[in-house]
Amino acid sequence: MQHWHVYQKWNEKLFVEMCTSYEAGRGPAKDPALGWYEGELWFFDNYIIPLAKKLEECGVFGVSSDECLNYALENRKEWETRGRDLVKSMKERYVGMKEGKSSGMV
């Protein structure tokens, strides 16, 4: 896991990719923005945090393993607090980008 700003950057890139695929008929069956907030919480709880805990337990990355877990927990907390607003902002930027009103992402 990485710092919050790095996570947020790559999260938005994936969001844009999924929205583009959805609108082109190649992606998910519903607008990704509708479940993005909850999906990220699920991903943290069921994939990222358990993986970071396993990395810490086995010590494969030394002290960095603990750092990964701390970032994962901090980012999950930050997402829980700010995620809904961030999804709204990402959707607005995506729509603006499509309409030529914005240069794009964060």
Side-chain angles (χ1 to χ4, degrees), residues 42-54:
W42 184 93
F43 193 61
F44 274 111
D45 293 342
N46 294 284
Y47 188 79
I48 295 173
I49 293 171
L51 177 60
K53 285 179 179 178
K54 287 178 185 174

Side-chain angles (χ1 to χ4, degrees), residues 9-21:
K9 170 186 167 182
W10 289 103
N11 184 45
E12 184 161 1
K13 288 180 180 293
L14 178 60
F15 179 83
V16 168
E17 183 177 331
M18 296 298 287
C19 287
T20 302
S21 296

Side-chain angles (χ1 to χ4, degrees), residues 23-75:
E23 290 182 358
R26 300 184 322 259
K30 66 176 187 171
D31 181 354
L34 298 177
W36 200 265
Y37 172 78
E38 295 82 4
E40 286 297 295
L41 290 176
W42 184 93
F43 193 61
F44 274 111
D45 293 342
N46 294 284
Y47 188 79
I48 295 173
I49 293 171
L51 177 60
K53 285 179 179 178
K54 287 178 185 174
L55 290 172
E56 183 183 41
E57 287 170 12
C58 72
V60 70
F61 294 121
V63 293
S64 295
S65 299
D66 184 52
E67 193 174 87
C68 287
L69 178 57
N70 288 337
Y71 283 138
L73 294 170
E74 289 173 18
N75 287 351

